[in-house]
Amino acid sequence: MTAAALLEILDDLRARPRTPDRGPVRRAALGYLTALVREGLDLDEQEPIPDDRPIGEVGVDSLLALELGDRIAEDIGVTLSAETLADQPTLRQLADRLAAEVPAAAA
């Protein structure tokens, strides 16, 4: 799935009323982030990217982390600080953060 397709899913989820079950938003955010990392590292779609390891361990360096932050802000309006990205969160942690902030970004 491409980042553009995942953006459509996120847009659809943003349009829905906020519900206690954030699972669909988290899954969409994780798919979106994985697609961005895969694109940034020039990996094919079949290459697994662990979502439970720090992003630095999967190959995201500081320059790519900043590019990802810029892309996320541009695509969905959520700003991740340089400190957040420098702390080497996992993709799962970033997805949780995005899932929490995506509805606020749509307002």
Side-chain angles (χ1 to χ4, degrees), residues 25-66:
V25 179
R26 281 190 196 96
R27 284 189 295 280
L30 182 58
Y32 166 74
L33 290 167
T34 301
L36 287 184
V37 169
R38 185 171 277 118
E39 180 182 301
L41 295 174
D42 198 28
L43 301 173
D44 66 44
E45 287 193 35
Q46 303 308 314
E47 183 114 17
I49 298 178
D51 62 7
D52 60 347
R53 292 179 47 208
I55 59 175
E57 288 182 18
V58 298
V60 176
D61 62 16
S62 58
L63 180 60
L64 181 54
L66 291 174

Side-chain angles (χ1 to χ4, degrees), residues 10-94:
L10 287 172
D11 285 342
D12 178 55
L13 292 169
R14 275 195 296 228
R16 295 179 188 183
R18 191 174 183 128
T19 63
D21 179 15
R22 304 304 295 156
V25 179
R26 281 190 196 96
R27 284 189 295 280
L30 182 58
Y32 166 74
L33 290 167
T34 301
L36 287 184
V37 169
R38 185 171 277 118
E39 180 182 301
L41 295 174
D42 198 28
L43 301 173
D44 66 44
E45 287 193 35
Q46 303 308 314
E47 183 114 17
I49 298 178
D51 62 7
D52 60 347
R53 292 179 47 208
I55 59 175
E57 288 182 18
V58 298
V60 176
D61 62 16
S62 58
L63 180 60
L64 181 54
L66 291 174
E67 290 173 6
L68 294 174
D70 289 346
R71 176 80 182 269
I72 292 164
E74 179 182 313
D75 286 348
I76 59 176
V78 173
T79 302
L80 298 176
S81 70
E83 293 81 21
T84 296
L85 297 167
D87 286 343
Q88 297 292 310
T90 66
L91 286 176
R92 194 177 303 159
Q93 289 168 326
L94 286 174

